[in-house]
Amino acid sequence: MGLLIKGGEIVTASDRYVADIRVDGGTITGIGTNLEARTGDETLDAAGKLVMPGFIDPHVHMELPFMGTVSADDFESGTASGIAGGTTCIIDFCMQGAGQTLPQAIEEWHKRSAKAVTDFTYHMAITNFGPNTPAEMREVVEKHGITSFKVFMAYKGAIMVDDGQLYLIMKEAAKLGAVVTVHAENGEAVWNLQRELVAAGCMGPEYHPVSRPSAIEGEATERALMMARLHGTTAYIVHMTCKEAVHALERAKLSGQRCYGETCPQYLLLDDSVFTKPDFGGSAFVMSPPIRPGHVGHHDALWAGVANRMLDSMGTDHCPFTHEQKKAGLGDFTKIPNGAAGIEDRLTLMYSYGVRGGHFDVQRMVELGSTAPARIFGLAKKGSIAVGMDADIVIYDPSGEGTRSAKTHHSRCDRNIFEGFKTYGHVATTIVNGKVAWDGKKLMTTRGSGRFVTRKPSHFAQHAEVKV
Ligand code: URP
Ligand code: ZN
Ligand code: ZN
């Protein structure tokens, strides 16, 4: 039995036109006008709605062991929450645990992700570079089909890599044609600022952003990009929050370097007044890098970046912790688990505040949330609507208004950092691998139906080696 999507306005990164889509199995098999339903076909009326490639979240952390706890959504609840928000594929971060080889970490992550209800892949996070790491990195790319790595320049004493390790990871990734994704904050500076604040008795969540000012992100972004330039590595800076970082990326791009930047809705839509919410409410917003102050140019730089293509993608950094989990940092902000939910909110917020807010058009929304992540990270069958592509499709009804809330979202998190945000339209239908998995009201998912997607290195791969 096939699926026929009738009369919707198909939106890709480049086009907008009214047509029907035929789906057979998990693949788009036809696009045209006046396509007829065959016996047994399910027909969806999409008239007046936007029909887009399923959104891809390039930055999530499901069941992440972090800061003494584990993020609240597992691969099933997290991907289901994504489906309700129009996301049909995720890229999680597979973390190298202490004493683990990279292949051992992948084996562990495959056990966790087996319950996912959308397709998925990983960025391989290297937390300790040893003598065997170059060979393991090759195995990650060539045997496991994971073509992007991750480095954390922050979280000293836990998962941070130092400059020596950053140098080596960038160098090896360039040889493999792999992308290096970077959490760019100067971890040494954060460490010192945290110690100074704690010594001065500054303990509440409102001191979290004070311990991580924008200069710390700007400096690390510049350093990561320069290290990538040294080796000819493709760098992708995750969760960019501030003008200093955007300007560093701009300089690199304008000098001809191949590099990418991601931001997330929270950095565009929230400001640092959130940290003073009563009853430890500010803890819900503790994430790194932090949400920035308004009226000093950070938000403007990010909006300009997503509009003018200096920034490339919109992720979420979905990494939820419940209020109970956040209480680990009651009395010491440095112990508040960093992260928040967001996978379900992204598309509706992008449409409501990005498109309806006049910052970009619907094609650019598709590019930021689907096509660019697919292209940058080598998800060859995703990110567009075309014959032969995976039948991961989201149908958005732009009519009506709504409100984001923890009361209605599907994440296990009991907080929503966009609580009360007014929105336009809603995700009417999400099709995952050719099947309707969300009808605008309820989820219809099967535990474990998501597939691990293998990738090939970028066709840009230079395999360059710096001669020293
Ligand atoms: O605060 C955050 N962002 N938590 C998740 C881990 C990370 O740094 O992305
Ligand atoms: Zn990060
Ligand atoms: Zn993250």
Side-chain angles (χ1 to χ4, degrees):
M1 187 181 83
L3 188 64
L4 190 61
I5 304 167
K6 289 286 290 176
E9 183 173 7
I10 297 174
V11 183
T12 67
S14 56
D15 302 309
R16 241 184 122 155
Y17 58 100
V18 174
D20 308 330
I21 299 174
R22 186 185 300 290
V23 167
D24 285 295
T27 306
I28 296 173
T29 52
I31 300 173
T33 45
N34 303 318
L35 296 186
E36 300 282 342
R38 296 161 311 190
T39 315
D41 277 353
E42 182 182 357
T43 302
L44 295 174
D45 178 7
K49 303 192 178 96
L50 307 174
V51 181
M52 303 177 282
F55 273 44
I56 298 167
D57 197 332
H59 188 153
V60 303
H61 305 273
M62 305 306 175
E63 52 190 290
L64 172 73
F66 191 49
M67 297 185 73
T69 183
V70 178
S71 60
D73 274 322
D74 66 16
F75 274 85
E76 183 176 13
S77 66
T79 49
S81 175
I83 288 173
T87 291
T88 55
C89 181
I90 60 163
I91 314 184
D92 197 83
F93 292 86
C94 172
M95 304 293 295
Q96 178 188 24
Q100 253 184 350
T101 65
L102 303 183
Q104 282 168 349
I106 293 170
E107 203 181 315
E108 189 182 324
W109 238 254
H110 279 339
K111 287 188 191 131
R112 293 166 200 252
S113 60
K115 44 193 174 309
V117 297
T118 66
D119 287 355
F120 57 93
T121 177
Y122 320 129
H123 306 294
M124 180 72 239
I126 303 174
T127 60
N128 185 23
F129 193 100
N132 297 328
T133 307
E136 291 172 19
M137 286 175 72
R138 182 166 293 281
E139 187 177 332
V140 167
V141 173
E142 293 178 357
K143 182 167 163 216
H144 296 277
I146 295 171
T147 57
S148 47
F149 293 94
K150 172 73 183 285
V151 289
F152 292 89
M153 297 170 76
Y155 304 124
K156 178 175 155 78
I159 52 179
M160 179 175 115
V161 297
D162 62 20
D163 280 355
Q165 297 191 332
L166 183 64
Y167 174 97
L168 293 165
I169 293 165
M170 289 285 187
K171 181 175 175 179
E172 293 306 320
K175 290 183 204 166
L176 297 166
V179 180
V180 177
T181 70
V182 183
H183 173 129
E185 285 185 298
N186 184 319
E188 296 289 348
V190 172
W191 176 266
N192 280 292
L193 273 160
Q194 285 182 332
R195 303 283 84 71
E196 286 159 24
L197 285 163
V198 168
C202 303
M203 297 304 215
E206 66 275 22
Y207 292 104
H208 173 70
V210 184
S211 73
R212 312 177 93 103
S214 58
I216 275 178
E217 184 183 338
E219 184 279 329
T221 305
E222 185 86 39
R223 186 156 34 104
L225 289 167
M226 287 295 172
M227 203 72 90
R229 183 185 301 192
L230 180 67
H231 295 297
T233 320
T234 303
Y236 174 98
I237 311 297
V238 302
H239 53 34
M240 295 175 65
T241 74
C242 64
K243 59 188 174 193
E244 291 88 342
V246 174
H247 295 158
L249 187 72
E250 269 173 21
R251 282 193 294 277
K253 284 192 173 193
L254 293 175
S255 75
Q257 190 174 341
R258 190 172 52 254
C259 50
Y260 302 104
E262 165 201 278
T263 190
C264 311
Q266 58 269 33
Y267 297 122
L268 292 158
L269 298 176
L270 302 175
D271 66 54
D272 66 352
S273 61
V274 295
F275 292 111
T276 54
K277 285 189 189 281
D279 303 324
F280 201 50
S283 65
F285 300 85
V286 168
M287 64 186 72
S288 296
I291 290 159
R292 299 299 179 191
H295 309 300
V296 289
H298 298 309
H299 295 83
D300 288 346
L302 294 174
W303 279 120
V306 291
N308 69 19
R309 298 191 147 69
M310 283 298 152
L311 294 178
D312 299 278
S313 64
M314 186 84 71
T316 65
D317 196 8
H318 182 86
C319 187
F321 296 103
T322 62
H323 191 62
E324 200 52 40
Q325 288 177 295
K326 292 274 182 180
K327 278 192 199 157
L330 205 55
D332 180 353
F333 74 89
T334 67
K335 297 195 169 56
I336 300 171
N338 284 205
I343 193 168
E344 192 167 336
D345 306 294
R346 177 178 59 150
L347 168 52
T348 309
L349 292 172
M350 285 177 82
Y351 179 75
S352 302
Y353 293 89
V355 175
R356 296 288 290 263
H359 293 283
F360 45 75
D361 60 18
V362 280
Q363 289 104 312
R364 179 70 182 144
M365 176 175 82
V366 168
E367 186 172 21
L368 287 162
S370 180
T371 314
R375 194 187 66 239
I376 294 167
F377 294 114
L379 291 159
K381 296 240 166 187
K382 299 191 187 288
S384 194
I385 299 226
V387 171
M389 299 293 275
D390 285 352
D392 285 349
I393 297 169
V394 53
I395 305 178
Y396 196 83
D397 183 347
S399 68
E401 294 181 15
T403 309
R404 303 312 302 169
S405 176
K407 292 193 189 79
T408 47
H409 74 197
H410 296 76
S411 163
R412 286 186 185 151
C413 197
D414 55 356
R415 303 286 149 131
N416 186 313
I417 56 172
F418 304 106
E419 189 69 41
F421 266 64
K422 299 285 175 228
T423 52
Y424 293 110
H426 70 282
V427 177
T429 310
T430 308
I431 296 159
V432 181
N433 195 18
K435 296 197 181 80
V436 175
W438 167 253
D439 66 1
K441 292 196 179 64
K442 69 175 187 310
L443 284 162
M444 290 153 280
T445 57
T446 310
R447 185 178 165 92
S449 56
R451 302 162 301 180
F452 176 71
V453 184
T454 55
R455 298 177 279 143
K456 291 201 165 54
S458 156
H459 63 275
F460 285 123
Q462 292 179 326
H463 304 276
E465 197 166 356
V466 174
K467 303 277 180 289
V468 284

